Amino acid sequence: MEEGHFKGGNAPYGYDLVRSGRINKRKHELYELHINEQEAAVVRIVFDKYVYEGYGPQHIATYLNNSGYRARSGKCWHPSSIRGMVQNLTYTGVLRCGDARSELMPDLQIVPQEQFENAQRIRNERSVRSTAEAENRLPLNIHGKSLLAGNAYCGHCGAKLELTSSRKWRKMADGSLDDTLRIRYTCYGKLRKQTNCTGQTGYTVHILDEIIDKAVRQIFSKMRGIPKEQIVTKRYEKETTERKNHLQDLQTQRDKAEKDLLSLKAEILACIKGESVLPRETLAEMITEQEEKLKELEDLCESASEELERTAELMDKVSRLYDELISYADLYDSANFEAKKMVVNQLIRRVDVYRGYQINISFNFDLTPYIEGE
């Protein structure tokens, strides 16, 4: 990599793989990257929109799809692909693998260095804002008519479910008009045809909200039925057991690695006498690799041991979490809709919704003691 050679694998979008004429140790011909001008034009559009026009990944994906551009697979662009593209250092003409970097290679540069750095600055600023919002875990709008606020997603394609409303005009039997307001959680990816979504286009708000409300009430009801001391002790014992088992597993791996290293070192004498089946260079490489593996396992054992010693802190953490959740439970029963919305969005990080209103809830807290078996 540092010598400017491609590490292998699929070529990043914007490049083609071309035979290099070089042969590796396994006698396989290696490939190098060459710019694919047609794809490179799309890469430049992405960076221009991101840096100069303030587009986000979702907006860029929509722009490309509406403009007739398609990903290499022939499918519509997805925001996650755009995010990966914006972070790819290769477009500046520098190859990267872990901490290793190649020199700048002008023949691989698609995006100017300054533009790439501006993209990273913008990305980091947006990430900081996103993290701050996640820490607060507050809904963006407490006055909406839905219980969820920005944390509902389509379980089939992963797109966010946006709140939409429309009026459904119907003529009643008595001749009057019914103009009921219809509010739905709508799959943005399917609606805009940005994803090959196999789920529903939308989900009626009051049906999904009732499911979420019932789930929250069940959790709070279970919490009240279990003494605090029982929950804290059970959680502490479970965590301690898991940490002990993890440490023992690492110690077993470390001991095996140590024995393997001793066996390899014992082979050195046989190698000197010319009795070993292993070439000297191969044996040296194997010993070096085994020493690195042993060092890594020793570090992991040390970290796991320190983690085990800190289990006392877990008691206080679980106790404070219980008090926080009980305060939500006490508030929820008597709260108005806006307050319930606040509680739900403090409690729930994400809801993935599937056909037939099947749901998977990801919580901001570890609620295992209250929902085990469900």
Side-chain angles (χ1 to χ4, degrees), residues 13 37-47 64 69-70 77 85:
Y13 185 86
E37 291 299 339
Q38 185 175 356
E39 292 184 353
V42 179
V43 173
R44 295 186 184 100
I45 290 174
V46 169
F47 276 87
L64 292 177
Y69 295 103
R70 292 295 179 265
W77 283 96
M85 188 180 295

Side-chain angles (χ1 to χ4, degrees), residues 30-300:
L30 302 179
Y31 291 81
E32 298 291 358
L33 296 180
H34 280 218
I35 291 179
N36 178 316
E37 291 299 339
Q38 185 175 356
E39 292 184 353
V42 179
V43 173
R44 295 186 184 100
I45 290 174
V46 169
F47 276 87
D48 287 346
K49 295 291 182 184
Y50 193 86
V51 175
Y52 302 130
E53 299 182 38
Y55 281 34
Q58 181 74 64
H59 198 170
I60 293 174
T62 301
Y63 172 83
L64 292 177
N65 294 330
N66 291 344
S67 300
Y69 295 103
R70 292 295 179 265
R72 186 179 289 168
S73 63
K75 297 180 180 179
C76 289
W77 283 96
H78 192 274
S80 61
S81 300
I82 304 300
R83 292 190 190 95
M85 188 180 295
V86 170
Q87 301 176 56
N88 194 339
L89 183 65
T90 305
Y91 295 129
T92 67
V94 177
L95 299 181
R96 171 175 60 189
C97 180
D99 295 330
R101 300 285 189 278
S102 72
E103 296 293 330
L104 173 63
M105 294 181 284
D107 57 332
L108 289 184
Q109 188 173 43
I110 297 176
V111 177
Q113 181 68 31
E114 183 179 358
Q115 187 180 22
F116 181 82
E117 290 175 355
N118 287 335
Q120 305 320 298
R121 177 182 53 79
I122 294 170
R123 185 175 64 85
N124 289 334
E125 289 176 355
R126 288 175 175 169
S127 177
V128 169
R129 289 199 299 270
S130 176
T131 300
E133 291 170 359
E135 284 297 319
N136 291 329
R137 296 196 292 266
L138 297 177
L140 299 177
N141 177 14
I142 65 170
H143 302 295
K145 297 182 181 298
S146 63
L147 200 56
L148 299 171
N151 52 356
Y153 295 83
C154 175
H156 298 269
C157 69
K160 182 173 286 190
L161 297 183
E162 304 285 351
L163 207 62
T164 60
S165 61
S166 61
R167 291 200 176 273
K168 187 175 182 180
W169 296 87
R170 295 184 303 170
K171 190 172 183 178
M172 308 300 288
D174 59 2
S176 62
L177 289 177
D178 176 20
D179 61 344
T180 303
L181 183 65
R182 187 186 187 205
I183 307 175
R184 308 177 77 208
Y185 293 106
T186 303
C187 175
Y188 191 84
K190 184 165 188 174
L191 184 66
R192 300 294 183 184
K193 297 182 179 179
Q194 293 181 343
T195 60
N196 295 324
C197 182
T198 57
Q200 297 178 200
T201 303
Y203 302 85
T204 304
V205 163
H206 74 83
I207 296 177
L208 183 56
D209 281 0
E210 286 174 4
I211 295 173
I212 298 299
D213 178 76
K214 182 179 179 181
V216 171
R217 289 181 183 277
Q218 285 178 343
I219 291 172
F220 287 156
S221 175
K222 286 189 175 185
M223 287 180 60
R224 291 192 180 98
I226 306 175
K228 176 180 178 179
E229 293 74 17
Q230 178 181 333
I231 290 176
V232 174
T233 302
K234 183 178 179 181
R235 177 61 179 164
Y236 175 78
E237 291 174 348
K238 179 182 178 182
E239 187 72 20
T240 301
T241 300
E242 289 177 354
R243 294 183 183 185
K244 283 182 178 178
N245 291 339
H246 179 58
L247 176 59
Q248 290 172 357
D249 181 55
L250 288 173
Q251 288 172 335
T252 301
Q253 294 181 50
R254 180 199 60 194
D255 293 343
K256 182 179 182 304
E258 192 172 15
K259 290 180 181 178
D260 291 344
L261 179 59
L262 291 174
S263 298
L264 287 173
K265 288 183 176 180
E267 189 72 16
I268 294 177
L269 183 59
C271 189
I272 294 174
K273 293 179 179 180
E275 299 173 354
S276 175
V277 296
L278 296 173
R280 182 174 300 180
E281 294 77 10
T282 302
L283 181 59
E285 289 179 3
M286 292 175 66
I287 289 176
T288 300
E289 290 177 1
Q290 194 64 26
E291 287 176 339
E292 292 175 352
K293 181 179 179 180
L294 178 59
K295 178 63 170 62
E296 181 181 349
L297 286 169
E298 287 175 341
D299 291 341
L300 290 173

